[in-house]
Every structure is written in C-alpha cells, then in structure tokens.
Amino acid sequence: MKTNRPFITAGYVGIILILLGLFLMASFPKHVPYMAKGFQTPIIYFEFVETVKETQQLFGMTKGLLPDDNLVQKMDFANKIDFIYAFVYALFLFLFAQKLVKISGKKIFVVVMVLAILAMVTDWLENIKLITITESLISGSFQNDIDALFVFTWIKWGSLALSFVIISEWFFRGKIVSTIFAFLGWIPIILGVLAFKTPGFYNELFAISIMFMFVSLIFYSFIYKSPQVIDGLKE
C-alpha cells in the first residue's frame, strides 16, 4: 500500500529546517549598537544595510571605536551555518514543488524548483558578502560589497516570495481553508514591494511572512492526504 501523504518527504526535510532555524535564531546576535529606524532584527538589518557608515555603526564603530569582536564572531558564525540552512530550505521547496508537478501535471511548478535553487545560490553569495564585509570593517573599503549584497539579498528574498505566489495556485483549487492558504501566499510579495519602497519595519514583516509560509507548508506537508491507493485502485 502506497502512502497517501505525498508531501511527507518534504515535511521531514521541513522539520530539519525548523530545528536549524531555531538554532540560527539563537546563534545570531540579538542586540547591536545601532540599527536604522524600523529594523528590529540585527541580521535582517545587516542584509539590507545600504552604506559603509551604517554597517560600521551596526558593529559598534562610533567615535573612533573598533568593531565589537564578539559581535563580529557571532555574526560570522551564524552566517556560516546559514549555508546549510539555505540548502535545507531550498531542498524543502524543491521537493514540495516536484510533488506538485507530479500530482497536478502543471509545469508551472517547475518554476518553483528553479527559484528554490536560485534562492539557495544567491543566499550563499549573500553570506559570502556578509563575511567579506565584516572582514573589511576597519578599512571601510566595502561599498562595492554592499552594492552586490543588495542585489543578492533581493534576488534571494524575491525568489522565495515569488515561489509562494506560484504555489498558491495549487491551493485555489480547494475549499475555504485551501483558499485562505492561497491568499496567504501573496502576502510576502506584497510586503516585499513595500519593503523595497520603504525600508525598515516592512523588511521585518517581509521576513516574518516568508518564515510563516515555510512553517505553513511544512504543516500542510503532514496533514494533506491524497486518495488512498491500494493495488492500483483508489479507496
């Protein structure tokens, strides 16, 4: 008898993703000397930072002070772990979308598989830039790295937000609960546009909405049941 939970493999990967995410939350610094108005999470602010001065202030370089070594080490450590985290979330999305293609027969979900890989690669490039920037804090010669970081960061977040928009098409096929899931899939990209236009608090909401969608899809992976299949016949 075949399993009637087609997304279960993705769900197991999702559990690893949640555990790794909790570890990352505990690893990233929670308090920093400076963040621009509206930002509340240091790593979110670091990813979206726009100038050398802001970056140096983030790490405590005010009034001629050197960067906080402990803060730099914590940020670098967590960003190195994030390489693994990026692989796991990309694998979850890839497996989930792959199953959608098989179940629905719609090739549009192949785009999600591609976007998952794109998000992972640009997340890796983002991490490389973040670590490069912390290595260059004292010299201050990293505006070009910040500019590249801006591109990689937005491609990463944008790829994830667009993935959820495409996945929402699957949920529009269902009843009330599924329809709610479908509309939720559009929230990250809307918040992403607001964050792009008005950096600050919307970036925080944007990141939270992406995490919420991951958790929702992981939950769905365990509760969704397709018709039972026994000896080639549906129950």
Side-chain angles (χ1 to χ4, degrees):
M1 184 175 65
K2 297 181 180 179
T3 179
N4 65 338
R5 297 181 188 273
F7 299 103
I8 197 67
T9 300
Y12 290 140
V13 174
I15 294 299
I16 297 173
L17 179 62
I18 290 174
L19 294 175
L20 192 55
L22 292 173
F23 177 74
L24 267 181
M25 287 176 61
S27 299
F28 275 117
K30 296 177 179 59
H31 304 285
V32 292
Y34 170 83
M35 283 188 284
K37 183 178 179 181
F39 286 96
Q40 299 177 358
T41 309
I43 182 56
I44 297 298
Y45 178 52
F46 191 15
E47 289 184 7
F48 290 102
V49 75
E50 296 182 359
T51 68
V52 170
K53 182 179 179 180
E54 288 178 330
T55 310
Q56 290 178 327
Q57 289 177 324
L58 166 65
F59 288 95
M61 294 181 67
T62 57
K63 299 179 180 179
L65 295 175
L66 293 175
D68 185 329
D69 286 339
N70 184 53
L71 182 58
V72 170
Q73 289 174 12
K74 284 186 176 180
M75 195 72 81
D76 284 351
F77 172 76
N79 279 322
K80 289 173 183 177
I81 299 299
D82 192 56
F83 282 96
I84 303 172
Y85 183 74
F87 171 77
V88 177
Y89 76 60
L91 179 60
F92 169 78
L93 264 186
F94 188 94
L95 292 174
F96 192 93
Q98 186 180 51
K99 190 59 64 173
L100 286 178
V101 173
K102 184 176 181 180
I103 295 173
S104 68
K106 296 182 178 180
K107 301 300 183 183
I108 184 64
F109 297 118
V110 173
V111 176
V112 178
M113 298 164 67
V114 175
L115 288 172
I117 296 173
L118 179 61
M120 178 186 70
V121 172
T122 49
D123 200 337
W124 286 351
L125 293 172
E126 174 194 79
N127 290 334
I128 290 171
K129 285 301 175 184
L130 290 171
I131 294 171
T132 299
I133 288 171
T134 57
E135 292 175 345
S136 308
L137 283 172
I138 296 177
S139 70
S141 303
F142 54 87
Q143 186 60 53
N144 289 339
D145 293 305
I146 290 177
D147 295 339
L149 175 66
F150 179 88
V151 175
F152 297 144
T153 297
W154 276 107
I155 292 177
K156 177 196 75 173
W157 288 106
S159 296
L160 295 175
L162 182 57
S163 293
F164 296 133
V165 169
I166 297 172
I167 289 174
S168 69
E169 195 278 333
W170 161 262
F171 292 104
F172 275 118
R173 57 184 279 283
K175 297 181 181 179
I176 295 177
V177 175
S178 291
T179 302
I180 292 174
F181 263 88
F183 282 110
L184 288 175
W186 283 82
I187 291 177
I189 202 161
I190 293 172
L191 289 172
V193 172
L194 293 173
F196 189 85
K197 291 184 176 181
T198 311
F201 186 58
Y202 285 122
N203 296 73
E204 297 282 342
L205 293 180
F206 181 36
I208 291 172
S209 70
I210 294 287
M211 297 304 106
F212 174 80
M213 285 307 302
F214 269 114
V215 172
S216 298
L217 291 181
I218 292 167
F219 177 71
Y220 182 82
S221 298
F222 286 100
I223 66 170
Y224 175 79
K225 293 182 179 180
S226 60
Q228 193 83 14
V229 179
I230 302 178
D231 295 331
L233 299 174
K234 292 183 179 179
E235 284 189 336

